[in-house]
Protein backbone atom coordinates (compact mmCIF):
# COMPACT_ATOMS: atom_id res chain seq x y z
CA UNK A 1 0.00 0.00 0.00
CA UNK A 2 1.08 3.58 -0.51
CA UNK A 3 0.79 6.48 1.87
CA UNK A 4 -1.82 9.20 2.24
CA UNK A 5 -1.04 12.39 4.14
CA UNK A 6 2.28 10.79 5.19
CA UNK A 7 0.47 7.85 6.83
CA UNK A 8 1.00 4.34 5.54
CA UNK A 9 -2.09 2.43 4.52
CA UNK A 10 -2.33 -1.08 5.89
CA UNK A 11 -5.53 -2.18 4.14
CA UNK A 12 -8.68 -0.84 2.50
CA UNK A 13 -12.30 -1.81 2.13
CA UNK A 14 -13.28 0.62 -0.60
CA UNK A 15 -15.38 2.69 -0.86
CA UNK A 16 -16.08 2.38 2.87
CA UNK A 17 -12.97 2.49 5.04
CA UNK A 18 -9.18 2.79 4.97
CA UNK A 19 -7.02 1.37 7.76
CA UNK A 20 -3.56 2.77 8.47
CA UNK A 21 -0.56 0.99 9.96
CA UNK A 22 -0.79 3.13 13.09
CA UNK A 23 -4.19 1.53 13.76
CA UNK A 24 -6.30 4.56 12.84
CA UNK A 25 -9.31 4.15 10.59
CA UNK A 26 -10.59 6.61 8.00
CA UNK A 27 -14.30 6.27 7.29
CA UNK A 28 -14.97 7.46 3.77
CA UNK A 29 -18.76 7.41 3.44
CA UNK A 30 -20.14 8.78 6.70
CA UNK A 31 -22.65 11.58 6.78
CA UNK A 32 -21.75 14.41 9.21
CA UNK A 33 -22.59 14.03 12.87
CA UNK A 34 -25.12 16.43 14.36
CA UNK A 35 -25.99 17.25 17.98
CA UNK A 36 -29.25 16.19 19.66
CA UNK A 37 -32.00 18.79 19.99
CA UNK A 38 -34.33 19.72 22.85
CA UNK A 39 -36.91 20.36 20.09
CA UNK A 40 -36.26 19.57 16.45
CA UNK A 41 -37.52 22.56 14.43
CA UNK A 42 -39.11 20.36 11.73
CA UNK A 43 -40.83 17.73 13.89
CA UNK A 44 -40.81 19.04 17.45
CA UNK A 45 -39.14 15.79 18.54
CA UNK A 46 -36.81 16.01 21.54
CA UNK A 47 -33.54 14.06 21.66
CA UNK A 48 -30.53 13.65 23.90
CA UNK A 49 -27.41 11.51 24.03
CA UNK A 50 -26.97 9.01 26.85
CA UNK A 51 -24.49 6.42 28.09
CA UNK A 52 -25.69 2.83 28.35
CA UNK A 53 -22.42 1.28 29.48
CA UNK A 54 -18.99 2.64 30.36
CA UNK A 55 -17.14 -0.65 30.04
CA UNK A 56 -17.57 -1.48 27.24
CA UNK A 57 -18.52 1.98 26.03
CA UNK A 58 -22.00 1.83 24.47
CA UNK A 59 -23.94 5.04 24.00
CA UNK A 60 -27.20 6.03 22.31
CA UNK A 61 -29.44 8.87 21.16
CA UNK A 62 -32.94 8.73 22.65
CA UNK A 63 -36.00 10.47 21.20
CA UNK A 64 -39.38 11.65 22.51
CA UNK A 65 -42.32 12.95 20.42
CA UNK A 66 -43.76 16.40 21.01
CA UNK A 67 -47.16 15.21 22.28
CA UNK A 68 -45.67 14.45 25.69
CA UNK A 69 -45.69 18.15 26.57
CA UNK A 70 -49.49 17.97 26.68
CA UNK A 71 -49.91 14.30 27.69
CA UNK A 72 -47.37 13.68 30.45
CA UNK A 73 -48.89 10.41 31.68
CA UNK A 74 -49.06 8.61 28.34
CA UNK A 75 -47.16 5.35 27.78
CA UNK A 76 -45.61 4.85 24.35
CA UNK A 77 -44.16 1.95 22.36
CA UNK A 78 -40.40 1.60 22.68
CA UNK A 79 -38.22 1.15 19.59
CA UNK A 80 -34.61 -0.03 19.95
CA UNK A 81 -32.96 0.86 16.65
CA UNK A 82 -29.66 -0.23 15.06
CA UNK A 83 -28.17 1.93 12.30
CA UNK A 84 -26.65 0.58 9.10
CA UNK A 85 -23.20 1.07 7.61
CA UNK A 86 -21.70 -2.37 7.05
CA UNK A 87 -20.78 -2.67 10.76
CA UNK A 88 -17.86 -0.33 10.09
CA UNK A 89 -19.16 3.19 9.42
CA UNK A 90 -22.07 5.55 10.13
CA UNK A 91 -23.40 6.49 13.53
CA UNK A 92 -26.51 6.95 15.64
CA UNK A 93 -25.42 10.60 15.72
CA UNK A 94 -25.19 11.14 11.97
CA UNK A 95 -27.38 13.63 10.10
CA UNK A 96 -29.16 10.98 8.05
CA UNK A 97 -29.91 8.66 10.97
CA UNK A 98 -31.07 11.59 13.11
CA UNK A 99 -33.38 12.75 10.30
CA UNK A 100 -34.79 9.23 10.05
CA UNK A 101 -35.40 8.96 13.78
CA UNK A 102 -36.96 12.42 14.09
CA UNK A 103 -39.38 11.62 11.26
CA UNK A 104 -40.26 8.16 12.54
CA UNK A 105 -40.74 9.27 16.16
CA UNK A 106 -42.91 12.18 15.05
CA UNK A 107 -45.05 9.98 12.78
CA UNK A 108 -45.42 6.97 15.10
CA UNK A 109 -45.42 8.74 18.49
CA UNK A 110 -42.94 6.35 20.09
CA UNK A 111 -39.94 6.47 22.38
CA UNK A 112 -36.96 5.51 20.21
CA UNK A 113 -33.41 4.76 21.22
CA UNK A 114 -30.78 4.57 18.47
CA UNK A 115 -27.77 2.53 19.60
CA UNK A 116 -24.21 3.72 19.05
CA UNK A 117 -22.60 0.28 19.04
CA UNK A 118 -18.84 -0.09 18.64
CA UNK A 119 -17.67 -0.30 15.04
CA UNK A 120 -15.41 -2.76 13.25
CA UNK A 121 -12.57 -3.15 12.42
CA UNK A 122 -11.30 -1.63 15.70
CA UNK A 123 -13.95 -3.76 17.41
CA UNK A 124 -14.01 -7.01 15.43
CA UNK A 125 -17.21 -8.84 14.63
CA UNK A 126 -19.27 -10.00 16.44
CA UNK A 127 -18.67 -7.15 18.95
CA UNK A 128 -21.34 -4.90 17.29
CA UNK A 129 -23.85 -7.75 17.66
CA UNK A 130 -23.00 -8.26 21.33
CA UNK A 131 -23.26 -4.51 21.97
CA UNK A 132 -26.75 -4.42 20.48
CA UNK A 133 -27.88 -7.33 22.62
CA UNK A 134 -26.45 -5.66 25.72
CA UNK A 135 -28.15 -2.38 24.81
CA UNK A 136 -31.51 -4.10 24.30
CA UNK A 137 -31.18 -5.76 27.71
CA UNK A 138 -30.37 -2.41 29.30
CA UNK A 139 -33.51 -0.90 27.76
CA UNK A 140 -35.75 -3.73 28.93
CA UNK A 141 -34.27 -3.59 32.43
CA UNK A 142 -36.22 -0.33 32.87
CA UNK A 143 -39.43 -2.36 32.93
CA UNK A 144 -38.83 -3.88 36.36
CA UNK A 145 -39.21 -1.42 39.22
CA UNK A 146 -37.28 -3.62 41.63
CA UNK A 147 -34.23 -3.85 39.37
CA UNK A 148 -31.18 -1.72 40.05
CA UNK A 149 -30.53 -0.07 36.68
CA UNK A 150 -27.09 1.26 35.91
CA UNK A 151 -27.41 4.65 34.18
CA UNK A 152 -31.17 4.74 34.68
CA UNK A 153 -32.89 6.72 31.90
CA UNK A 154 -35.96 8.65 33.02
CA UNK A 155 -37.51 8.92 29.55
CA UNK A 156 -37.73 5.12 29.43
CA UNK A 157 -39.10 4.62 32.94
CA UNK A 158 -41.60 7.48 32.61
CA UNK A 159 -42.90 6.99 29.07
CA UNK A 160 -41.95 3.48 27.93
CA UNK A 161 -44.63 0.84 27.42
CA UNK A 162 -42.72 -2.41 27.85
CA UNK A 163 -45.63 -4.45 26.57
CA UNK A 164 -44.88 -2.91 23.15
CA UNK A 165 -41.13 -3.15 22.62
CA UNK A 166 -39.85 -3.18 19.03
CA UNK A 167 -36.43 -3.64 17.50
CA UNK A 168 -35.52 -2.39 14.06
CA UNK A 169 -32.65 -1.58 11.76
CA UNK A 170 -31.57 -0.89 8.22
CA UNK A 171 -28.99 -2.83 6.18
CA UNK A 172 -26.30 -4.06 8.62
CA UNK A 173 -28.57 -2.71 11.35
CA UNK A 174 -31.28 -5.09 10.15
CA UNK A 175 -28.76 -7.90 10.41
CA UNK A 176 -28.14 -6.80 14.01
CA UNK A 177 -31.90 -6.70 14.65
CA UNK A 178 -32.23 -10.26 13.31
CA UNK A 179 -29.43 -11.36 15.64
CA UNK A 180 -31.22 -9.88 18.65
CA UNK A 181 -34.46 -11.60 17.61
CA UNK A 182 -32.76 -15.00 17.47
CA UNK A 183 -31.11 -14.45 20.86
CA UNK A 184 -34.41 -13.24 22.32
CA UNK A 185 -35.98 -16.47 21.09
CA UNK A 186 -33.40 -18.48 23.03
CA UNK A 187 -32.62 -16.29 26.05
CA UNK A 188 -34.66 -14.15 28.43
CA UNK A 189 -34.39 -10.38 28.32
CA UNK A 190 -34.09 -8.36 31.53
CA UNK A 191 -37.42 -7.83 33.24
CA UNK A 192 -38.91 -10.80 31.36
CA UNK A 193 -39.81 -8.42 28.50
CA UNK A 194 -40.88 -9.96 25.20
CA UNK A 195 -40.17 -8.22 21.91
CA UNK A 196 -43.54 -7.41 20.41
CA UNK A 197 -42.44 -6.62 16.87
CA UNK A 198 -39.47 -5.98 14.61
CA UNK A 199 -38.76 -4.37 11.26
CA UNK A 200 -35.83 -5.26 9.03
CA UNK A 201 -35.25 -2.69 6.29
CA UNK A 202 -33.10 -3.80 3.33
CA UNK A 203 -31.47 -6.48 5.55
CA UNK A 204 -27.84 -7.40 4.99
CA UNK A 205 -27.85 -11.15 4.46
CA UNK A 206 -25.61 -13.01 2.01
CA UNK A 207 -24.29 -16.47 1.15
CA UNK A 208 -22.21 -18.51 -1.27
CA UNK A 209 -25.19 -19.89 -3.23
CA UNK A 210 -26.91 -17.38 -5.55
CA UNK A 211 -30.51 -16.47 -4.78
CA UNK A 212 -33.06 -15.26 -7.34
CA UNK A 213 -31.55 -12.77 -9.77
CA UNK A 214 -28.15 -12.57 -8.02
CA UNK A 215 -24.98 -12.95 -10.11
CA UNK A 216 -24.09 -16.63 -10.47
CA UNK A 217 -20.36 -16.55 -11.32
CA UNK A 218 -18.23 -17.11 -8.22
CA UNK A 219 -15.50 -14.69 -9.31
CA UNK A 220 -18.03 -11.92 -9.87
CA UNK A 221 -19.88 -12.64 -6.62
CA UNK A 222 -16.63 -12.25 -4.69
CA UNK A 223 -16.25 -8.71 -6.07
CA UNK A 224 -19.61 -7.62 -4.65
CA UNK A 225 -19.82 -5.48 -1.51
CA UNK A 226 -21.86 -7.97 0.59
CA UNK A 227 -19.12 -10.58 0.12
CA UNK A 228 -16.15 -8.23 0.53
CA UNK A 229 -17.48 -6.51 3.68
CA UNK A 230 -17.99 -9.77 5.56
CA UNK A 231 -14.69 -11.33 4.43
CA UNK A 232 -12.76 -8.22 5.39
CA UNK A 233 -14.41 -7.62 8.75
CA UNK A 234 -14.85 -11.23 9.91
CA UNK A 235 -12.23 -13.41 8.17
CA UNK A 236 -12.30 -15.96 11.01
CA UNK A 237 -16.07 -16.56 10.83
CA UNK A 238 -17.01 -20.22 10.88
CA UNK A 239 -18.46 -21.24 7.51
CA UNK A 240 -17.11 -17.98 6.07
CA UNK A 241 -19.69 -16.18 3.97
CA UNK A 242 -22.25 -18.80 5.02
CA UNK A 243 -21.84 -18.04 8.72
CA UNK A 244 -25.25 -18.21 10.40
CA UNK A 245 -25.03 -14.52 11.38
CA UNK A 246 -24.91 -13.54 7.70
CA UNK A 247 -26.72 -16.44 6.05
CA UNK A 248 -29.85 -17.56 7.94
CA UNK A 249 -30.34 -20.21 5.25
CA UNK A 250 -26.82 -21.75 5.41
CA UNK A 251 -25.42 -24.96 6.91
CA UNK A 252 -26.11 -23.95 10.51
CA UNK A 253 -29.40 -22.21 9.81
CA UNK A 254 -31.63 -21.63 12.83
CA UNK A 255 -35.21 -22.84 12.98
CA UNK A 256 -36.60 -19.39 12.26
CA UNK A 257 -40.15 -20.24 13.24
CA UNK A 258 -39.10 -21.46 16.68
CA UNK A 259 -36.28 -19.01 17.37
CA UNK A 260 -37.43 -15.58 16.17
CA UNK A 261 -38.32 -13.89 19.42
CA UNK A 262 -41.18 -11.59 18.41
CA UNK A 263 -44.81 -11.86 17.34
CA UNK A 264 -44.86 -9.40 14.43
CA UNK A 265 -42.27 -8.94 11.69
CA UNK A 266 -42.00 -6.46 8.82
CA UNK A 267 -39.33 -6.85 6.13
CA UNK A 268 -38.81 -4.12 3.53
CA UNK A 269 -36.91 -4.48 0.26
CA UNK A 270 -36.13 -2.15 -2.65
CA UNK A 271 -36.39 -3.19 -6.31
CA UNK A 272 -32.87 -2.08 -7.33
CA UNK A 273 -31.13 -3.30 -4.18
CA UNK A 274 -28.52 -6.04 -4.55
CA UNK A 275 -29.86 -7.52 -1.29
CA UNK A 276 -33.50 -7.56 -2.42
CA UNK A 277 -33.89 -11.28 -3.14
CA UNK A 278 -32.30 -12.22 0.19
CA UNK A 279 -34.93 -10.18 2.00
CA UNK A 280 -37.72 -11.89 0.09
CA UNK A 281 -36.16 -15.30 0.78
CA UNK A 282 -36.02 -14.43 4.48
CA UNK A 283 -39.74 -13.63 4.56
CA UNK A 284 -40.62 -16.85 2.74
CA UNK A 285 -38.35 -18.89 5.01
CA UNK A 286 -39.98 -17.43 8.11
CA UNK A 287 -43.45 -18.15 6.77
CA UNK A 288 -42.51 -21.72 5.85
CA UNK A 289 -40.80 -22.38 9.18
CA UNK A 290 -43.97 -22.43 11.24
CA UNK A 291 -43.62 -18.94 12.69
CA UNK A 292 -46.73 -18.30 14.75
CA UNK A 293 -46.76 -14.52 14.37
CA UNK A 294 -47.55 -12.10 11.57
CA UNK A 295 -45.06 -11.55 8.74
CA UNK A 296 -45.32 -8.74 6.20
CA UNK A 297 -43.20 -7.92 3.15
CA UNK A 298 -43.02 -4.39 1.72
CA UNK A 299 -41.50 -3.96 -1.75
CA UNK A 300 -40.68 -0.51 -3.13
CA UNK A 301 -40.23 -0.18 -6.88
CA UNK A 302 -37.63 2.00 -8.58
CA UNK A 303 -35.50 2.51 -5.45
CA UNK A 304 -32.11 1.28 -4.28
CA UNK A 305 -30.55 0.30 -0.98
CA UNK A 306 -31.28 2.59 1.99
CA UNK A 307 -33.06 5.16 -0.22
CA UNK A 308 -35.25 6.30 2.69
CA UNK A 309 -32.14 7.32 4.61
CA UNK A 310 -29.90 8.64 1.85
CA UNK A 311 -32.71 10.53 0.07
CA UNK A 312 -34.76 11.35 3.16
CA UNK A 313 -36.65 14.25 1.54
CA UNK A 314 -38.01 12.19 -1.38
CA UNK A 315 -41.67 11.21 -1.62
CA UNK A 316 -40.84 7.51 -1.50
CA UNK A 317 -38.79 8.08 1.66
CA UNK A 318 -41.74 9.82 3.30
CA UNK A 319 -44.02 6.94 2.27
CA UNK A 320 -41.51 4.50 3.74
CA UNK A 321 -41.52 6.33 7.07
CA UNK A 322 -45.33 6.23 7.12
CA UNK A 323 -45.22 2.49 6.40
CA UNK A 324 -42.83 1.87 9.31
CA UNK A 325 -44.86 4.13 11.59
CA UNK A 326 -48.05 2.29 10.69
CA UNK A 327 -46.39 -1.00 11.64
CA UNK A 328 -45.31 0.42 15.00
CA UNK A 329 -48.81 1.72 15.71
CA UNK A 330 -50.73 -1.50 15.02
Amino acid sequence: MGSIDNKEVASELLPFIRVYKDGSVERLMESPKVPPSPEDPETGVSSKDITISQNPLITARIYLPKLLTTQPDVKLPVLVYFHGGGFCFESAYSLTETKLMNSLVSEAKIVAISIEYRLAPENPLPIPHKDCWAALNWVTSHSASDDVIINNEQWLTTYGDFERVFVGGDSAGANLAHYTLIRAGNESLHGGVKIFGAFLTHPYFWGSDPVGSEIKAIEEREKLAPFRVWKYLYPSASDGIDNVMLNPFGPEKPSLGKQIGCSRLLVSVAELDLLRDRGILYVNAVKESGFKGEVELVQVEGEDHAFHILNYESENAKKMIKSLASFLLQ
Side-chain angles (χ1 to χ4, degrees):
M1 294 288 182
S3 63
I4 298 177
D5 295 332
N6 299 318
K7 291 174 68 173
E8 281 197 84
V9 177
S11 63
E12 296 175 317
L13 176 61
L14 298 178
F16 308 115
I17 60 171
R18 182 177 289 125
V19 180
Y20 295 96
K21 289 188 175 179
D22 65 3
S24 61
V25 178
E26 183 182 8
R27 293 183 161 85
L28 308 171
M29 290 188 66
E30 287 192 319
S31 64
K33 292 183 180 180
V34 295
S37 172
E39 186 172 331
D40 175 57
E42 293 181 14
T43 62
V45 169
S46 300
S47 59
K48 62 180 178 179
D49 295 343
I50 60 174
T51 298
I52 291 173
S53 167
Q54 289 284 2
N55 186 22
L57 183 61
I58 307 171
T59 62
R61 180 163 289 175
I62 188 168
Y63 298 82
L64 275 181
K66 190 174 184 178
L67 67 83
L68 293 181
T69 58
T70 56
Q71 295 176 265
D73 298 325
V74 70
K75 292 288 186 179
L76 304 175
V78 176
L79 168 64
V80 182
Y81 183 80
F82 312 121
H83 70 79
F87 310 113
C88 63
F89 68 99
E90 269 302 344
S91 167
Y93 308 135
S94 73
L95 172 65
T96 52
E97 294 294 341
T98 299
K99 286 279 189 182
L100 172 68
M101 287 289 99
N102 279 334
S103 297
L104 187 55
V105 168
S106 175
E107 190 73 33
K109 302 297 186 289
I110 56 173
V111 181
I113 180 164
S114 182
I115 308 303
E116 182 75 342
Y117 53 86
R118 291 172 292 168
L119 296 177
E122 302 98 315
N123 304 284
L125 297 181
I127 285 177
H129 296 75
K130 293 179 179 178
D131 282 359
C132 291
W133 176 251
L136 175 61
N137 265 288
W138 175 82
V139 170
T140 63
S141 71
H142 288 74
S143 67
S145 58
D146 57 345
D147 275 4
V148 177
I149 307 166
I150 299 174
N151 301 325
N152 177 36
E153 173 46 52
Q154 186 179 5
W155 284 6
L156 286 172
T157 54
T158 303
Y159 302 113
D161 178 355
F162 291 94
E163 296 293 318
R164 293 184 292 165
V165 172
F166 293 81
V167 298
D170 62 273
S171 192
N175 179 288
L176 294 166
H178 163 76
Y179 172 83
T180 63
L181 290 176
I182 295 297
R183 282 197 70 167
N186 290 281
E187 303 175 36
S188 297
L189 287 163
H190 282 317
V193 171
K194 303 294 185 183
I195 299 173
F196 182 63
F199 65 81
L200 311 184
T201 306
H202 310 160
Y204 173 29
F205 298 129
W206 201 247
S208 57
D209 293 333
V211 169
S213 60
E214 291 176 3
I215 292 172
K216 306 296 188 290
I218 295 175
E219 309 79 29
E220 294 303 312
R221 289 180 65 78
E222 292 183 354
K223 295 177 184 177
L224 298 175
F227 180 94
R228 293 190 299 111
V229 166
W230 189 258
K231 279 293 188 181
Y232 183 90
L233 296 178
Y234 202 1
S236 64
S238 61
D239 295 318
I241 204 71
D242 289 315
N243 181 274
V244 67
M245 296 171 71
L246 185 65
N247 185 2
F249 328 106
E252 301 297 325
K253 64 182 179 182
S255 174
L256 294 174
K258 295 179 180 178
Q259 295 189 46
I260 289 181
C262 70
S263 58
R264 297 180 61 241
L265 182 63
L266 173 70
V267 179
S268 303
V269 299
E271 180 187 14
L272 306 179
D273 186 4
L274 186 64
L275 302 176
R276 171 184 174 272
D277 290 338
R278 295 274 161 178
I280 295 173
L281 177 62
Y282 182 82
V283 169
N284 292 335
V286 171
K287 288 180 177 179
E288 293 166 5
S289 69
F291 180 62
K292 302 299 183 184
E294 300 174 21
V295 188
E296 182 182 353
L297 173 67
V298 171
Q299 303 190 60
V300 181
E301 296 180 358
E303 294 287 1
D304 210 333
H305 190 72
F307 71 90
H308 63 301
I309 296 172
L310 301 175
N311 303 310
Y312 51 81
E313 293 183 343
S314 71
E315 286 305 310
N316 275 345
K318 293 174 183 176
K319 290 179 182 177
M320 184 72 191
I321 297 300
K322 289 183 181 296
S323 174
L324 294 175
S326 176
F327 173 76
L328 295 168
L329 288 168
Q330 289 177 11

